[in-house]
Amino acid sequence: MTVSRGAGQPPAAAVLPGDVEVLHALLRRRQRGDRADGHRIALVVAGGGMRGAYAGGMVHALDDAGLGGCFDVVYGSSAGAFVGTGLLLGSGRGSAAIFYEDMACRAFIDPRRFPRRPLVSLDHLLDDVLVHSKPLDWDRLRDSPVPLRVVATALDDLTPHVLEPRTSREWKLALRATASIPLLAGPAVELHGARWIDGSVSDPLPVLRALDDGATHVLALVTRTATELRRGAPTGGPARWARALDRLSPGLGRMAQGDHRHAPALAVLDDAAHPSRGGAHLLALVPERDEGVQGLTVDPARVARAARAGYAAAADALQRAQAGA
């Protein structure tokens, strides 16, 4: 993927604060060729629908840099789980390209279907794209030596949990569950006696979960610019789809639409002395420019630009880390 800085692009300082030691640790692992350093390095990939193209581009850059096998665990919510899957299976380019080659289309997202049918077709993604265009090896995912922690939201109380699929069939259900929202992307998914919906509803960037699990280093791939993350709540009332979700499950629409979902992760990323850090090293990679991609964007050119912006953010951060090593 060819990257370049566009005219008027914000300077690199317009990012979240972070600890470059995360990248230095990854680069040392690449140089040694193993992960036997006593650290636990986690990759956390944010959700966000088609915004996942930004994270896909970042994963493409990490893979191109030879860092795909340097993590101990990967966490992902919603689109972030699919992006993380690509890294674990050695398809960094596919993590980005799937958004603009296969998902930015009416077969996947079509608002005209709403409300009679879900406007997002997970069937298209799971039963067509991941079977024919970009086949996913479910057995390899099941047996991956580096675990993928798929975050989903329990429908009964809207709290986040890590799913624990055991078979290839359950892995497919888990990835469907982390992206399902009633009315928008299909009904709740039943797995292990519970019903699950989109992980990004309750935990769009599972940084705190990675820390709770003992991560010493966390690299977070964020699908919104730093400015957008810190922007106040949007004016106006809830969207039509959000009101419909609230009627289905009180509070669900407000959670799904609100940017406040990122506040807990943003608080720990912003504050080096945050008590939840426990001495861990944290670094967030954010797109340095906003390409106007939202959760339901179907413009392939715009989505491709978002993937390039994500690639550029990760490649630039790695270049700076190598220069300062």
Side-chain angles (χ1 to χ4, degrees):
M1 178 178 288
T2 302
V3 298
S4 62
R5 290 188 179 275
Q9 180 177 325
V15 299
L16 297 174
D19 188 347
V20 74
E21 168 58 20
V22 176
L23 296 182
H24 288 160
L26 289 168
L27 292 170
R28 289 194 297 269
R29 284 186 169 188
R30 183 186 67 180
Q31 183 176 8
R32 287 195 315 271
D34 63 55
R35 295 186 279 119
D37 54 12
H39 301 318
R40 182 173 175 83
I41 304 181
L43 179 69
V44 174
V45 190
M50 296 301 291
R51 296 176 191 266
Y54 290 112
M58 294 173 189
V59 159
H60 187 184
L62 291 172
D63 200 32
D64 278 359
L67 299 175
C70 295
F71 296 93
D72 295 297
V73 60
V74 176
Y75 295 81
S77 289
S78 192
F82 287 87
V83 171
T85 295
L87 181 74
L88 292 181
L89 298 184
S91 181
R93 179 194 176 277
S95 291
I98 192 171
F99 286 94
Y100 54 84
E101 290 181 352
D102 304 285
M103 296 166 64
C105 62
R106 293 297 183 188
F108 182 56
I109 299 173
D110 190 347
R112 296 172 299 182
R113 291 194 288 255
F114 184 82
R116 297 186 307 278
R117 291 180 294 153
L119 61 87
V120 176
S121 175
L122 293 179
D123 290 341
H124 171 72
L125 176 59
L126 290 164
D127 299 330
D128 186 4
V129 175
L130 295 181
V131 172
H132 303 294
S133 174
K134 293 178 176 58
L136 194 155
D137 189 332
W138 298 100
D139 291 345
R140 281 187 61 211
L141 178 61
R142 178 199 62 202
D143 299 333
S144 171
V146 176
L148 173 65
R149 306 300 191 201
V150 178
V151 178
T153 302
L155 184 61
D156 59 352
D157 61 5
L158 303 182
T159 57
H161 300 264
V162 169
L163 301 180
E164 297 182 353
R166 296 182 289 266
T167 66
S168 296
R169 176 183 175 276
E170 288 183 352
W171 270 105
K172 188 172 183 178
L173 286 173
L175 286 182
R176 180 183 287 271
T178 192
S180 291
I181 298 183
L183 304 180
L184 291 182
V189 174
E190 293 191 13
L191 182 62
H192 299 162
R195 293 188 299 163
W196 307 99
I197 61 172
D198 194 310
S200 66
V201 168
S202 56
D203 195 0
L205 186 63
V207 168
L208 286 167
R209 184 170 297 276
L211 293 172
D212 289 343
D213 288 348
T216 60
H217 299 66
V218 178
L219 179 63
L221 308 185
V222 183
T223 57
R224 299 165 188 253
T225 64
T227 300
E228 188 179 6
L229 280 172
R230 295 194 174 99
R231 188 181 302 154
T235 58
R240 179 189 176 197
W241 60 264
R243 295 195 301 270
L245 286 180
D246 277 332
R247 290 193 294 271
L248 181 68
S249 178
L252 177 57
R254 181 184 63 81
M255 287 182 67
Q257 187 179 18
D259 287 340
H260 62 278
R261 295 171 295 154
H262 294 85
L266 186 59
V268 74
L269 288 169
D270 265 338
D271 183 4
H274 196 285
S276 294
R277 284 200 179 209
H281 303 278
L282 272 69
L283 177 66
L285 298 182
V286 300
E288 295 177 354
R289 59 182 184 272
D290 182 359
E291 295 293 352
V293 171
Q294 304 297 317
L296 301 175
T297 298
V298 292
D299 179 348
R302 181 170 295 184
V303 175
R305 290 197 298 272
R308 290 195 293 271
Y311 190 104
D316 287 354
L318 287 168
Q319 185 177 26
R320 291 194 297 270
Q322 290 174 306

